[in-house]
Amino acid sequence: MASSGQYSRRSPAAVGKPTSSYAVFLPACLASVLVGYAIFGSFVELSQMRSTIHEPNNNNNKDGKTQSLLRIQGSSKDTIHTLCTTNGSPYQNYQMRIAYGTYRLIQKMPGGERHTAFTRILHRTARDPDPLADEIPTFRADPLQPECDDWCEYPVSDRANAVNQFWKYAHEAGLLREDWYYMIESDYVFMKPLDIPQGADARKKAWGFSFSYIHPVAHPQEMEILYPGGDVNAIPNSGPAPILMTLDNWLRVTNDWEDMAAKIEANDAIKKKLGWVREMYGFSIAVAKNGIELDTTKEDNRFIVQPPADDSLGKAHAFHYTQCTIFKTMDDKDVWGYDKRFHTDPSDALRVPKIDPVPPFKEGQWKFIEGNPVTRKNHESISMMINQMNRAIETLKPLKAAHRS
């Protein structure tokens, strides 16, 4: 999964522009690997229904209110509405623009016609104008934690509430027309259209990803407090992204997900025990509580891979760049590197810089910053991801900084 708010499912490590050496990022990279596949680079961090959908290219209505979103017409089977939550920080805006850029690329591929709608769910106050609203279809939800506009300890706890606000508004506005609803994180790179599950029972189930650092069975006391009498073995080791479900199942899960998030945040002991992935546990409990089977079969993973831990795209349709991809020589000289944590400066979100291409492969001469060797498959996979990111970046126009009126 990913992060927000940054949504960051990782503790707020010091991040910023690279210095002359990538070594300053070693602690963050090592931490991400030790926690499993990394703890989500850009976690998705998130009243009265004064929120709205803002459609790009609507001449920038001053109130930002429209009741439509960009949608491809003409598709009739297995259409997908993609959703991504964010708190609108520069760090996450940088990621969101790349994600949406790659999304637009795969829409042009065979099967891309199924990807008929995309909504960025922004949980942020209206204090400041939103610089991305004229580029990405955006719904603004009223945040539970307005202080997260500047900084807060855990903005992702607003996510479930923000999604619930979106369901309510979009239902009343008649915007929920797709067959499937697909939740992603902002640090995804779309490589090809999503392969939709087939079969008689496909729509009864949820489809997602198995995270190695989510272990409900390892926290029986906390699970019992949150889900009294529930079967801990029925709680999936997943989270709210990537998740593909029908609208009916999303509506069943989201209320309990929101309740779980609130319950966790109200209990300091549980917060400490479950840590930065606690909101993922809340979602997984909500799925189990509603008796929805969540298929996370690794052999048939159609969703994401996470380089460099994963060395090929396989059957997945997207890369998740939550981990460091930094190459060094065997004697620790810098070779090449990309890390989303390099891009926290607000200017990078407004004018997304091209990423340095991956240098030609050299057998046995490089290692990752954590020490493991860079294999040819690693190199090919990371090159594929970076090339797609750069293709998307080439389509992005410079944005102007948004200022309060």
Side-chain angles (χ1 to χ4, degrees):
M1 302 197 38
S3 6
S4 262
Q6 293 161 198
Y7 278 13
S8 198
R9 299 223 181 208
R10 54 178 90 247
S11 57
V15 293
K17 292 288 187 180
T19 64
S20 59
S21 170
Y22 293 121
V24 293
F25 296 95
L26 179 58
C29 294
L30 286 174
S32 68
V33 170
L34 290 173
V35 183
Y37 272 61
I39 301 190
F40 324 83
S42 176
F43 204 106
V44 229
E45 302 161 337
L46 285 189
S47 74
Q48 308 228 9
M49 197 51 56
R50 47 191 176 84
S51 305
T52 57
I53 296 279
H54 184 98
E55 177 180 329
N57 304 317
N58 69 338
N59 297 320
N60 202 18
N61 291 344
K62 289 186 178 180
D63 63 0
K65 293 176 167 43
T66 80
Q67 293 191 356
S68 60
L69 49 76
L70 298 181
R71 176 177 270 108
I72 293 178
Q73 302 296 332
S75 296
S76 59
K77 179 176 172 57
D78 282 335
T79 53
I80 307 166
H81 190 148
T82 301
L83 306 168
C84 187
T85 65
T86 172
N87 80 337
S89 71
Y91 174 62
Q92 206 169 18
N93 285 351
Y94 164 83
Q95 297 167 43
M96 276 294 327
R97 295 191 70 196
I98 295 174
Y100 187 61
T102 62
Y103 169 85
R104 296 298 296 268
L105 292 177
I106 63 100
Q107 282 184 301
K108 300 172 184 177
M109 297 178 180
E113 69 278 358
R114 295 192 304 271
H115 289 268
T116 51
F118 187 107
T119 300
R120 167 181 173 248
I121 301 176
L122 174 66
H123 48 93
R124 190 177 186 88
T125 71
R127 181 190 71 180
D128 299 311
D130 173 27
L132 271 58
D134 285 329
E135 181 173 82
I136 305 175
T138 294
F139 168 83
R140 188 190 64 78
D142 294 323
L144 296 175
Q145 305 175 87
E147 64 273 18
C148 293
D149 281 11
D150 298 313
W151 187 89
C152 65
E153 186 264 343
Y154 195 63
V156 75
S157 64
D158 283 12
R159 170 152 61 168
N161 174 265
V163 173
N164 238 345
Q165 290 184 52
F166 171 74
W167 295 137
K168 292 172 184 176
Y169 175 84
H171 174 72
E172 293 171 3
L175 298 174
L176 301 176
R177 308 171 196 168
E178 274 67 36
D179 299 306
W180 296 91
Y181 292 80
Y182 179 39
M183 186 72 71
I184 67 166
E185 303 282 13
S186 59
D187 53 351
Y188 284 11
V189 177
F190 288 79
M191 299 301 296
K192 58 187 178 184
L194 180 63
D195 183 23
I196 294 296
Q198 301 298 321
D201 295 329
R203 297 194 182 200
K204 296 179 183 178
K205 298 179 2 180
W207 301 82
F209 187 79
S210 175
F211 289 96
S212 61
Y213 41 80
I214 301 298
H215 299 290
V217 294
H219 304 289
Q221 293 181 329
E222 289 74 24
M223 297 302 106
E224 177 62 25
I225 293 170
L226 297 170
Y227 185 24
D231 180 5
V232 69
N233 294 296
I235 302 172
N237 59 328
S238 190
I243 289 288
L244 181 73
M245 289 195 288
T246 62
L247 179 61
D248 286 348
N249 281 340
W250 270 111
L251 295 179
R252 289 169 61 191
V253 168
T254 308
N255 283 335
D256 286 318
W257 176 24
E258 183 177 359
D259 289 345
M260 287 297 161
K263 207 169 181 180
I264 291 170
E265 294 308 301
N267 189 311
D268 288 341
I270 291 180
K271 285 168 58 178
K272 183 176 181 180
K273 189 73 172 180
L274 301 184
W276 283 88
V277 294
R278 57 188 183 263
E279 181 258 0
M280 295 176 69
Y281 280 99
F283 178 87
S284 298
I285 293 169
V287 169
K289 188 175 180 181
N290 283 277
I292 297 172
E293 180 183 352
L294 177 51
D295 191 314
T296 59
T297 307
K298 291 183 178 181
E299 292 72 21
D300 192 34
N301 169 33
R302 68 193 70 223
F303 295 107
I304 58 171
V305 293
Q306 304 181 113
D310 297 312
D311 62 9
S312 67
L313 187 63
K315 296 180 181 179
H317 89 113
F319 287 108
H320 178 209
Y321 58 97
T322 189
Q323 299 181 46
C324 303
T325 49
I326 293 174
F327 299 175
K328 297 180 79 69
T329 62
M330 293 304 179
D331 57 353
D332 287 325
K333 291 186 174 67
D334 296 336
V335 175
W336 174 90
Y338 173 77
D339 192 308
K340 64 189 174 185
R341 300 160 196 85
F342 297 168
H343 298 283
T344 59
D345 192 292
S347 64
D348 284 356
L350 299 175
R351 292 177 175 267
V352 180
K354 291 284 290 291
I355 303 167
D356 290 341
V358 181
F361 179 67
K362 294 186 177 181
E363 183 76 47
Q365 295 189 33
W366 299 337
K367 61 182 178 179
F368 289 104
I369 195 170
E370 299 86 1
N372 48 312
V374 176
T375 67
R376 185 176 295 277
K377 290 186 70 176
N378 286 139
H379 182 271
E380 290 174 352
S381 180
I382 293 168
S383 296
M384 185 188 306
M385 180 181 74
I386 296 298
N387 290 343
Q388 180 78 337
M389 295 170 80
N390 276 331
R391 281 189 285 268
I393 290 169
E394 288 175 353
T395 71
L396 302 178
K397 297 179 180 179
L399 300 179
K400 294 181 179 180
H403 300 287
R404 300 177 201 176
S405 56

